[in-house]
């Protein structure tokens, strides 16, 4: 159980850091918010998957942990602000 919890935490940290590194313009919120959201989402979804599967399939629980973390971090993404970062011009409506 401890190894699985540590693995879920590492998955969450990797998802949060990966989101900030690969798509920095999509996350205008604080970096700590993005990483902590990914960490908590990975831990909770891993815990739910562990109890749903009775602890029989740790690989599936880790996969569910990764998917849950990615889904919850994607809620924080703001692609509408990604292209306008640094510019304050508005588009003219024709």
């Amino acid at each position: 159980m401890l190894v699985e919890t540590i693995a879920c935490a590492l998955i969450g940290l990797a998802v949060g850091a990966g989101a900030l590194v690969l798509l920095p313009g999509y996350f205008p919120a604080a970096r700590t918010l993005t990483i902590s959201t990914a960490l908590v989402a990975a831990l909770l979804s891993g815990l739910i998957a562990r109890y749903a599967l009775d602890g029989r399939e740790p690989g599936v629980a880790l996969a569910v942990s990764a998917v849950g973390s990615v889904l919850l971090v994607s809620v924080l993404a703001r692609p509408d602000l990604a292209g306008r970062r640094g510019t304050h011009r508005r588009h003219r409506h024709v």
Side-chain angles (χ1 to χ4, degrees):
M1 170 124 179
L2 180 64
V3 173
E4 193 174 335
T5 303
I6 291 171
C8 285
L10 290 175
I11 287 171
L13 290 174
V15 167
L20 290 174
V21 169
L22 295 175
L23 303 167
Y26 280 54
F27 296 96
R31 294 176 193 264
T32 56
L33 177 67
T34 304
I35 291 178
S36 62
T37 299
L39 177 64
V40 170
L43 289 171
L44 284 177
S45 58
L47 182 70
I48 291 169
R50 178 174 170 73
Y51 283 121
L53 298 170
D54 272 343
R56 284 182 253 147
E57 298 288 335
V60 174
L62 292 177
V64 169
S65 172
V67 170
S69 181
V70 167
L71 288 176
L72 199 57
V73 167
S74 70
V75 171
L76 296 176
R78 294 287 310 268
D80 57 330
L81 298 179
R84 288 189 272 163
R85 204 100 158 106
T87 61
H88 298 291
R89 289 182 258 153
R90 293 197 178 255
H91 297 286
R92 268 187 5 189
H93 295 285
V94 179

Coordinates of all heavy atoms in Angstrom, one line a residue:
M1 N 0.8 -1.2 0.0 CA 0.0 0.0 0.0 C 0.9 1.3 0.0 O 0.5 2.2 -0.7 CB -0.9 0.0 1.2 CG -1.6 1.3 1.4 SD -3.4 1.0 1.4 CE -3.9 2.6 1.7
L2 N 1.9 1.2 0.8 CA 2.8 2.4 0.8 C 3.5 2.7 -0.5 O 3.6 3.8 -1.0 CB 3.9 2.2 1.9 CG 4.8 3.4 2.1 CD1 4.1 4.6 2.5 CD2 5.9 3.0 3.1
V3 N 4.0 1.6 -1.2 CA 4.6 1.8 -2.4 C 3.7 2.3 -3.5 O 4.0 3.1 -4.3 CB 5.3 0.4 -2.9 CG1 5.8 0.5 -4.3 CG2 6.3 0.0 -1.9
E4 N 2.4 1.8 -3.5 CA 1.4 2.3 -4.4 C 1.1 3.7 -4.2 O 0.9 4.5 -5.1 CB 0.2 1.4 -4.3 CG -0.8 1.6 -5.4 CD -1.9 0.6 -5.3 OE1 -1.8 -0.5 -4.7 OE2 -3.0 0.9 -5.8
T5 N 1.0 4.2 -2.9 CA 0.8 5.6 -2.6 C 1.9 6.5 -3.1 O 1.6 7.5 -3.6 CB 0.6 5.7 -1.1 OG1 -0.5 4.9 -0.6 CG2 0.2 7.1 -0.7
I6 N 3.1 6.0 -2.9 CA 4.3 6.8 -3.4 C 4.3 6.8 -4.9 O 4.5 7.9 -5.5 CB 5.6 6.2 -2.8 CG1 5.7 6.4 -1.3 CG2 6.8 6.8 -3.5 CD1 6.8 5.7 -0.6
A7 N 3.9 5.7 -5.5 CA 3.8 5.7 -7.0 C 2.8 6.7 -7.5 O 3.0 7.4 -8.5 CB 3.6 4.3 -7.5
C8 N 1.6 6.7 -6.8 CA 0.5 7.6 -7.2 C 1.0 9.1 -7.0 O 0.7 10.0 -7.8 CB -0.7 7.4 -6.4 SG -1.6 5.9 -6.9
A9 N 1.7 9.4 -5.9 CA 2.2 10.7 -5.7 C 3.2 11.1 -6.8 O 3.2 12.3 -7.3 CB 2.8 10.8 -4.3
L10 N 4.1 10.2 -7.1 CA 5.0 10.5 -8.2 C 4.3 10.7 -9.6 O 4.8 11.6 -10.3 CB 6.1 9.4 -8.3 CG 7.1 9.3 -7.1 CD1 8.0 8.1 -7.3 CD2 7.9 10.6 -7.0
I11 N 3.3 10.0 -9.8 CA 2.5 10.2 -11.0 C 1.9 11.6 -11.0 O 1.9 12.3 -12.0 CB 1.4 9.1 -11.2 CG1 2.1 7.7 -11.6 CG2 0.4 9.5 -12.2 CD1 1.2 6.6 -11.5
G12 N 1.3 11.9 -9.9 CA 0.7 13.3 -9.8 C 1.7 14.4 -10.0 O 1.4 15.4 -10.7
L13 N 2.9 14.3 -9.4 CA 3.9 15.3 -9.6 C 4.4 15.3 -11.0 O 4.6 16.4 -11.5 CB 5.1 15.0 -8.6 CG 4.8 15.2 -7.1 CD1 6.0 14.8 -6.3 CD2 4.5 16.7 -6.8
A14 N 4.5 14.2 -11.6 CA 4.9 14.1 -13.0 C 3.9 14.8 -13.9 O 4.3 15.5 -14.9 CB 5.2 12.7 -13.5
V15 N 2.6 14.5 -13.7 CA 1.6 15.1 -14.5 C 1.5 16.6 -14.3 O 1.4 17.4 -15.3 CB 0.2 14.5 -14.2 CG1 -0.9 15.3 -14.8 CG2 0.2 13.0 -14.7
G16 N 1.6 17.1 -13.1 CA 1.6 18.5 -12.9 C 2.8 19.2 -13.5 O 2.7 20.3 -14.1
A17 N 4.0 18.7 -13.3 CA 5.2 19.3 -13.8 C 5.2 19.2 -15.4 O 5.6 20.1 -16.0 CB 6.4 18.6 -13.3
G18 N 4.7 18.1 -15.9 CA 4.6 17.9 -17.3 C 3.7 18.9 -18.0 O 4.0 19.5 -19.0
A19 N 2.6 19.2 -17.3 CA 1.6 20.2 -17.8 C 2.2 21.6 -17.8 O 2.0 22.3 -18.8 CB 0.4 20.2 -17.0
L20 N 3.0 21.9 -16.8 CA 3.6 23.2 -16.8 C 4.7 23.4 -17.7 O 4.9 24.5 -18.3 CB 4.1 23.5 -15.3 CG 3.0 23.7 -14.3 CD1 3.6 23.9 -12.9 CD2 2.2 25.0 -14.6
V21 N 5.5 22.3 -18.0 CA 6.6 22.4 -18.9 C 6.1 22.3 -20.4 O 6.6 23.1 -21.2 CB 7.6 21.2 -18.6 CG1 8.6 21.1 -19.7 CG2 8.3 21.5 -17.3
L22 N 5.2 21.4 -20.7 CA 4.8 21.3 -22.0 C 3.8 22.3 -22.5 O 3.8 22.7 -23.7 CB 4.2 19.9 -22.2 CG 5.1 18.7 -22.0 CD1 4.3 17.4 -22.1 CD2 6.2 18.7 -23.0
L23 N 3.0 22.8 -21.6 CA 2.0 23.8 -22.0 C 1.9 25.0 -21.0 O 0.9 25.2 -20.3 CB 0.6 23.2 -22.1 CG 0.4 22.0 -23.0 CD1 -0.9 21.2 -22.7 CD2 0.5 22.4 -24.4
P24 N 3.0 25.8 -21.0 CA 3.1 26.8 -19.9 C 2.0 27.9 -20.1 O 1.6 28.5 -19.1 CB 4.5 27.3 -20.0 CG 4.9 27.0 -21.4 CD 4.2 25.8 -21.8
G25 N 1.7 28.2 -21.3 CA 0.7 29.3 -21.6 C -0.7 28.9 -21.2 O -1.6 29.8 -21.1
Y26 N -1.0 27.6 -21.1 CA -2.4 27.2 -20.8 C -2.7 27.2 -19.3 O -3.9 27.1 -19.0 CB -2.5 25.7 -21.3 CG -2.7 25.5 -22.8 CD1 -1.9 26.1 -23.7 CD2 -3.8 24.8 -23.2 CE1 -2.1 26.0 -25.0 CE2 -4.0 24.7 -24.6 CZ -3.1 25.2 -25.5 OH -3.3 25.1 -26.8
F27 N -1.8 27.4 -18.5 CA -2.0 27.4 -17.0 C -1.7 28.8 -16.4 O -0.6 29.0 -15.9 CB -1.2 26.3 -16.4 CG -1.7 24.9 -16.8 CD1 -1.0 24.3 -17.8 CD2 -2.8 24.3 -16.3 CE1 -1.4 23.1 -18.3 CE2 -3.2 23.1 -16.7 CZ -2.5 22.5 -17.8
P28 N -2.6 29.7 -16.4 CA -2.3 31.0 -15.9 C -2.4 31.0 -14.3 O -1.9 32.0 -13.7 CB -3.4 31.9 -16.4 CG -4.6 31.0 -16.6 CD -3.9 29.7 -17.1
A29 N -2.9 30.0 -13.7 CA -3.0 29.9 -12.3 C -1.6 29.7 -11.7 O -0.6 29.4 -12.5 CB -3.9 28.7 -11.9
A30 N -1.4 29.8 -10.4 CA -0.1 29.6 -9.8 C 0.4 28.2 -10.1 O -0.4 27.2 -10.2 CB -0.3 29.8 -8.3
R31 N 1.7 28.0 -10.2 CA 2.3 26.7 -10.4 C 2.0 25.8 -9.3 O 1.8 24.6 -9.5 CB 3.8 26.9 -10.6 CG 4.2 27.6 -11.8 CD 5.7 27.8 -11.8 NE 6.1 28.8 -12.8 CZ 6.5 28.5 -14.0 NH1 6.5 27.2 -14.4 NH2 6.8 29.4 -14.9
T32 N 2.0 26.2 -8.1 CA 1.7 25.4 -6.9 C 0.2 24.8 -7.0 O 0.0 23.7 -6.6 CB 1.9 26.1 -5.6 OG1 1.1 27.3 -5.6 CG2 3.4 26.4 -5.4
L33 N -0.7 25.6 -7.5 CA -2.0 25.1 -7.7 C -2.1 24.0 -8.7 O -2.8 23.0 -8.4 CB -3.0 26.3 -8.1 CG -4.4 25.9 -8.3 CD1 -5.1 25.5 -7.0 CD2 -5.2 27.0 -9.0
T34 N -1.4 24.2 -9.8 CA -1.4 23.1 -10.8 C -0.8 21.8 -10.3 O -1.4 20.7 -10.5 CB -0.7 23.6 -12.1 OG1 -1.3 24.8 -12.5 CG2 -0.8 22.6 -13.2
I35 N 0.3 21.9 -9.7 CA 1.0 20.7 -9.2 C 0.3 20.1 -8.0 O 0.1 18.9 -8.0 CB 2.5 21.1 -8.8 CG1 3.3 21.4 -10.1 CG2 3.1 19.9 -8.0 CD1 4.7 21.8 -9.9
S36 N -0.3 20.9 -7.1 CA -1.0 20.3 -6.0 C -2.3 19.7 -6.4 O -2.7 18.7 -5.9 CB -1.2 21.3 -4.9 OG -2.0 22.4 -5.4
T37 N -2.9 20.3 -7.5 CA -4.2 19.7 -8.0 C -3.9 18.3 -8.6 O -4.6 17.3 -8.4 CB -4.8 20.6 -9.0 OG1 -5.1 21.8 -8.4 CG2 -6.0 20.0 -9.6
A38 N -2.8 18.2 -9.4 CA -2.4 17.0 -10.0 C -2.0 15.9 -8.9 O -2.4 14.8 -9.0 CB -1.2 17.2 -10.9
L39 N -1.3 16.3 -7.9 CA -0.9 15.4 -6.8 C -2.2 14.9 -6.1 O -2.3 13.7 -5.9 CB 0.0 16.1 -5.8 CG 0.5 15.4 -4.6 CD1 1.3 14.2 -5.1 CD2 1.3 16.3 -3.7
V40 N -3.1 15.8 -5.7 CA -4.2 15.3 -4.9 C -5.2 14.5 -5.8 O -5.7 13.5 -5.3 CB -5.0 16.6 -4.3 CG1 -6.3 16.2 -3.8 CG2 -4.1 17.2 -3.3
A41 N -5.3 14.8 -7.0 CA -6.1 14.1 -8.0 C -5.6 12.7 -8.2 O -6.3 11.7 -8.2 CB -6.3 14.8 -9.3
A42 N -4.3 12.6 -8.3 CA -3.6 11.2 -8.5 C -3.8 10.4 -7.2 O -4.1 9.2 -7.3 CB -2.2 11.4 -8.8
L43 N -3.6 11.0 -6.0 CA -3.8 10.2 -4.8 C -5.2 9.8 -4.6 O -5.5 8.6 -4.2 CB -3.3 11.0 -3.6 CG -1.8 11.2 -3.5 CD1 -1.5 12.2 -2.4 CD2 -1.1 9.9 -3.3
L44 N -6.2 10.7 -4.8 CA -7.6 10.3 -4.6 C -8.1 9.3 -5.6 O -8.8 8.3 -5.3 CB -8.5 11.5 -4.7 CG -8.4 12.4 -3.4 CD1 -9.3 13.6 -3.6 CD2 -8.9 11.6 -2.2
S45 N -7.7 9.5 -6.9 CA -8.2 8.5 -7.9 C -7.5 7.2 -7.7 O -8.1 6.1 -8.0 CB -8.0 9.1 -9.3 OG -6.7 9.4 -9.5
G46 N -6.3 7.2 -7.3 CA -5.6 5.9 -7.0 C -6.2 5.2 -5.8 O -6.4 3.9 -5.8
L47 N -6.6 5.9 -4.8 CA -7.3 5.4 -3.6 C -8.6 4.8 -4.0 O -9.0 3.7 -3.6 CB -7.4 6.4 -2.6 CG -8.0 6.0 -1.2 CD1 -7.1 5.1 -0.5 CD2 -8.4 7.2 -0.4
I48 N -9.4 5.5 -4.8 CA -10.7 5.0 -5.2 C -10.6 3.8 -6.0 O -11.3 2.8 -5.9 CB -11.5 6.1 -5.9 CG1 -11.8 7.3 -5.0 CG2 -12.7 5.6 -6.6 CD1 -12.4 8.5 -5.6
A49 N -9.6 3.8 -7.0 CA -9.4 2.6 -7.8 C -8.9 1.4 -7.0 O -9.3 0.3 -7.2 CB -8.4 2.9 -8.9
R50 N -8.1 1.6 -6.0 CA -7.6 0.6 -5.1 C -8.8 -0.1 -4.4 O -8.9 -1.3 -4.3 CB -6.6 1.1 -4.2 CG -6.0 0.0 -3.2 CD -4.9 0.6 -2.4 NE -4.6 -0.3 -1.3 CZ -3.9 -1.5 -1.5 NH1 -3.6 -1.9 -2.7 NH2 -3.6 -2.2 -0.4
Y51 N -9.6 0.7 -3.8 CA -10.8 0.2 -3.1 C -11.8 -0.5 -4.0 O -12.4 -1.5 -3.6 CB -11.4 1.2 -2.2 CG -10.6 1.5 -0.9 CD1 -10.1 2.7 -0.7 CD2 -10.3 0.4 -0.1 CE1 -9.3 3.0 0.5 CE2 -9.5 0.7 1.1 CZ -9.0 1.9 1.3 OH -8.3 2.1 2.4
A52 N -12.0 0.1 -5.2 CA -12.9 -0.5 -6.1 C -12.5 -1.9 -6.6 O -13.3 -2.7 -6.9 CB -13.1 0.4 -7.3
L53 N -11.1 -2.0 -6.8 CA -10.6 -3.3 -7.3 C -10.1 -4.2 -6.1 O -9.5 -5.3 -6.4 CB -9.4 -3.0 -8.2 CG -9.7 -2.2 -9.4 CD1 -8.4 -1.8 -10.1 CD2 -10.6 -3.0 -10.4
D54 N -10.4 -3.9 -4.9 CA -10.0 -4.6 -3.7 C -8.5 -4.8 -3.7 O -8.0 -5.8 -3.1 CB -10.7 -6.0 -3.7 CG -12.0 -5.9 -3.0 OD1 -12.2 -4.9 -2.2 OD2 -12.8 -6.9 -3.1
G55 N -7.7 -4.0 -4.2 CA -6.3 -4.1 -4.2 C -5.7 -5.2 -5.0 O -4.5 -5.5 -4.9
R56 N -6.4 -5.8 -5.9 CA -5.9 -6.9 -6.7 C -5.2 -6.5 -7.9 O -4.3 -7.3 -8.4 CB -7.1 -7.8 -7.1 CG -7.6 -8.6 -6.0 CD -8.8 -9.5 -6.4 NE -10.0 -9.0 -5.9 CZ -11.1 -9.0 -6.4 NH1 -11.3 -9.5 -7.6 NH2 -12.2 -8.4 -5.9
E57 N -5.4 -5.4 -8.4 CA -4.7 -4.9 -9.7 C -4.1 -3.6 -9.5 O -4.6 -2.5 -9.8 CB -5.8 -4.8 -10.8 CG -6.5 -6.1 -11.2 CD -5.5 -7.0 -11.9 OE1 -4.6 -6.5 -12.5 OE2 -5.8 -8.2 -11.9
P58 N -2.8 -3.6 -8.9 CA -2.2 -2.3 -8.6 C -1.8 -1.5 -9.9 O -1.8 -0.3 -9.9 CB -0.9 -2.7 -7.9 CG -0.7 -4.1 -8.1 CD -2.1 -4.7 -8.4
G59 N -1.5 -2.2 -11.0 CA -1.2 -1.6 -12.3 C -2.4 -0.8 -12.8 O -2.3 0.3 -13.3
V60 N -3.6 -1.4 -12.7 CA -4.8 -0.7 -13.1 C -5.1 0.5 -12.2 O -5.5 1.6 -12.7 CB -6.0 -1.7 -13.1 CG1 -7.3 -0.9 -13.5 CG2 -5.8 -2.8 -14.1
A61 N -4.8 0.4 -11.0 CA -5.0 1.5 -10.0 C -4.1 2.7 -10.4 O -4.5 3.8 -10.3 CB -4.8 1.0 -8.6
L62 N -2.8 2.3 -10.8 CA -1.9 3.4 -11.1 C -2.3 4.0 -12.4 O -2.2 5.3 -12.6 CB -0.5 2.8 -11.2 CG 0.1 2.4 -9.9 CD1 1.5 1.7 -10.2 CD2 0.3 3.5 -9.0
A63 N -2.8 3.3 -13.4 CA -3.3 3.8 -14.6 C -4.5 4.8 -14.4 O -4.6 5.8 -15.0 CB -3.7 2.7 -15.6
V64 N -5.4 4.3 -13.5 CA -6.6 5.2 -13.2 C -6.1 6.4 -12.5 O -6.6 7.5 -12.7 CB -7.6 4.4 -12.3 CG1 -8.6 5.3 -11.7 CG2 -8.2 3.3 -13.1
S65 N -5.1 6.3 -11.7 CA -4.5 7.5 -11.0 C -4.0 8.5 -12.0 O -4.2 9.7 -11.9 CB -3.4 7.0 -10.1 OG -2.7 8.1 -9.5
A66 N -3.3 8.0 -13.0 CA -2.7 8.9 -14.0 C -3.8 9.6 -14.8 O -3.8 10.8 -15.1 CB -1.8 8.1 -15.0
V67 N -4.8 8.8 -15.2 CA -5.9 9.4 -16.0 C -6.7 10.4 -15.2 O -7.1 11.5 -15.7 CB -6.9 8.2 -16.5 CG1 -8.2 8.8 -17.1 CG2 -6.1 7.4 -17.5
G68 N -7.0 10.1 -13.9 CA -7.7 11.0 -13.0 C -6.9 12.3 -12.8 O -7.5 13.4 -12.8
S69 N -5.6 12.2 -12.7 CA -4.8 13.4 -12.5 C -4.8 14.2 -13.8 O -4.9 15.5 -13.7 CB -3.4 13.0 -12.2 OG -2.6 14.1 -12.0
V70 N -4.7 13.6 -14.9 CA -4.7 14.4 -16.2 C -6.0 15.1 -16.4 O -6.1 16.2 -16.8 CB -4.4 13.4 -17.4 CG1 -4.7 14.1 -18.7 CG2 -2.9 13.0 -17.3
L71 N -7.1 14.3 -16.1 CA -8.4 14.9 -16.3 C -8.7 16.1 -15.4 O -9.2 17.1 -15.8 CB -9.5 13.9 -16.1 CG -9.6 12.8 -17.2 CD1 -10.7 11.8 -16.8 CD2 -10.0 13.4 -18.5
L72 N -8.3 16.0 -14.2 CA -8.5 17.1 -13.3 C -7.6 18.3 -13.5 O -8.0 19.5 -13.4 CB -8.4 16.7 -11.8 CG -9.1 17.6 -10.8 CD1 -10.5 17.7 -11.1 CD2 -8.9 17.0 -9.4
V73 N -6.4 18.1 -13.9 CA -5.5 19.2 -14.3 C -6.0 19.9 -15.6 O -5.8 21.1 -15.7 CB -4.0 18.7 -14.4 CG1 -3.2 19.7 -15.1 CG2 -3.5 18.4 -13.1
S74 N -6.6 19.1 -16.5 CA -7.1 19.7 -17.7 C -8.2 20.7 -17.4 O -8.5 21.6 -18.3 CB -7.5 18.7 -18.7 OG -8.7 18.0 -18.2
V75 N -8.9 20.6 -16.3 CA -9.9 21.5 -15.9 C -9.3 22.9 -15.7 O -9.9 24.0 -15.9 CB -10.7 21.0 -14.7 CG1 -11.6 22.1 -14.1 CG2 -11.4 19.8 -15.0
L76 N -8.1 23.0 -15.2 CA -7.4 24.2 -14.9 C -6.9 24.9 -16.2 O -6.5 26.1 -16.1 CB -6.2 24.0 -14.0 CG -6.5 23.5 -12.6 CD1 -5.2 23.3 -11.8 CD2 -7.4 24.5 -11.8
A77 N -6.8 24.2 -17.3 CA -6.2 24.7 -18.5 C -7.1 25.8 -19.1 O -8.3 25.7 -19.1 CB -5.9 23.6 -19.5
R78 N -6.4 26.9 -19.6 CA -7.1 28.0 -20.2 C -6.5 28.2 -21.6 O -5.7 29.1 -21.8 CB -7.0 29.3 -19.4 CG -7.6 29.3 -18.0 CD -9.1 29.4 -18.1 NE -9.6 30.4 -18.9 CZ -9.9 31.7 -18.5 NH1 -9.7 32.0 -17.2 NH2 -10.3 32.6 -19.3
P79 N -6.9 27.4 -22.6 CA -6.4 27.6 -24.0 C -6.8 28.9 -24.6 O -6.1 29.4 -25.5 CB -6.9 26.4 -24.7 CG -8.1 25.9 -24.0 CD -7.9 26.3 -22.5
D80 N -7.8 29.5 -24.1 CA -8.2 30.8 -24.7 C -7.2 31.9 -24.4 O -7.1 32.9 -25.1 CB -9.6 31.2 -24.3 CG -9.8 31.3 -22.7 OD1 -9.0 30.5 -22.1 OD2 -10.6 32.0 -22.2
L81 N -6.5 31.8 -23.3 CA -5.5 32.7 -22.9 C -4.1 32.4 -23.4 O -3.2 33.2 -23.3 CB -5.4 32.9 -21.4 CG -6.7 33.3 -20.7 CD1 -6.5 33.3 -19.2 CD2 -7.1 34.7 -21.2
A82 N -3.9 31.2 -24.0 CA -2.5 30.8 -24.4 C -2.0 31.6 -25.5 O -0.8 32.0 -25.5 CB -2.6 29.3 -24.8
G83 N -2.7 32.0 -26.5 CA -2.2 32.8 -27.6 C -2.0 34.2 -27.3 O -1.2 34.9 -27.9
R84 N -2.7 34.7 -26.3 CA -2.7 36.2 -26.0 C -1.7 36.5 -24.9 O -1.6 37.6 -24.4 CB -4.0 36.7 -25.6 CG -5.0 36.7 -26.8 CD -6.2 37.4 -26.5 NE -7.1 36.4 -25.9 CZ -8.2 36.7 -25.2 NH1 -8.5 37.9 -24.9 NH2 -9.0 35.7 -24.8
R85 N -0.9 35.6 -24.4 CA 0.0 35.8 -23.3 C 1.0 36.9 -23.7 O 1.7 36.7 -24.7 CB 0.7 34.5 -22.9 CG 1.2 34.5 -21.5 CD 0.1 33.8 -20.8 NE 0.4 33.1 -19.5 CZ -0.1 33.6 -18.4 NH1 -0.6 34.7 -18.4 NH2 -0.1 32.9 -17.4
G86 N 1.1 38.0 -23.0 CA 2.0 39.0 -23.3 C 1.6 40.1 -24.2 O 2.2 41.1 -24.3
T87 N 0.5 39.9 -24.9 CA -0.1 40.9 -25.8 C -1.4 41.4 -25.2 O -2.2 40.6 -24.7 CB -0.3 40.4 -27.2 OG1 -1.2 39.3 -27.2 CG2 1.1 39.9 -27.8
H88 N -1.7 42.6 -25.4 CA -2.9 43.2 -24.8 C -3.8 43.8 -25.9 O -4.6 44.6 -25.7 CB -2.6 44.3 -23.8 CG -1.8 43.7 -22.6 ND1 -2.4 42.8 -21.7 CD2 -0.6 43.9 -22.2 CE1 -1.5 42.5 -20.8 NE2 -0.4 43.1 -21.1
R89 N -3.6 43.3 -27.1 CA -4.4 43.7 -28.2 C -5.7 42.9 -28.3 O -5.7 41.8 -28.1 CB -3.7 43.6 -29.6 CG -2.6 44.6 -29.7 CD -1.9 44.5 -31.0 NE -0.7 43.7 -30.7 CZ -0.1 43.0 -31.6 NH1 -0.6 42.8 -32.8 NH2 1.0 42.3 -31.3
R90 N -6.8 43.6 -28.7 CA -8.0 42.9 -28.9 C -8.3 42.8 -30.4 O -7.9 43.7 -31.2 CB -9.2 43.7 -28.3 CG -9.1 43.7 -26.8 CD -10.5 44.1 -26.3 NE -10.5 44.1 -24.8 CZ -11.0 43.1 -24.1 NH1 -11.6 42.2 -24.7 NH2 -10.9 43.2 -22.8
H91 N -8.9 41.8 -30.8 CA -9.3 41.5 -32.2 C -10.5 42.4 -32.6 O -11.4 42.6 -31.8 CB -9.6 40.1 -32.5 CG -8.5 39.2 -32.2 ND1 -7.4 39.1 -33.0 CD2 -8.3 38.3 -31.2 CE1 -6.6 38.2 -32.6 NE2 -7.1 37.7 -31.4
R92 N -10.4 43.0 -33.7 CA -11.5 43.8 -34.2 C -12.5 42.9 -34.8 O -12.3 41.9 -35.5 CB -11.0 44.7 -35.3 CG -10.6 46.0 -34.9 CD -10.3 47.0 -36.0 NE -10.6 46.5 -37.3 CZ -10.3 47.1 -38.4 NH1 -9.6 48.2 -38.3 NH2 -10.6 46.6 -39.6
H93 N -13.8 43.1 -34.4 CA -14.9 42.4 -35.0 C -15.3 43.1 -36.3 O -15.7 44.3 -36.3 CB -16.0 42.3 -34.0 CG -15.7 41.5 -32.8 ND1 -15.6 40.1 -32.8 CD2 -15.4 41.9 -31.6 CE1 -15.3 39.7 -31.6 NE2 -15.2 40.8 -30.8
V94 N -15.3 42.4 -37.4 CA -15.7 43.0 -38.7 C -17.1 42.7 -39.0 O -17.7 41.8 -38.7 CB -14.8 42.4 -39.8 CG1 -15.2 43.0 -41.1 CG2 -13.3 42.7 -39.4

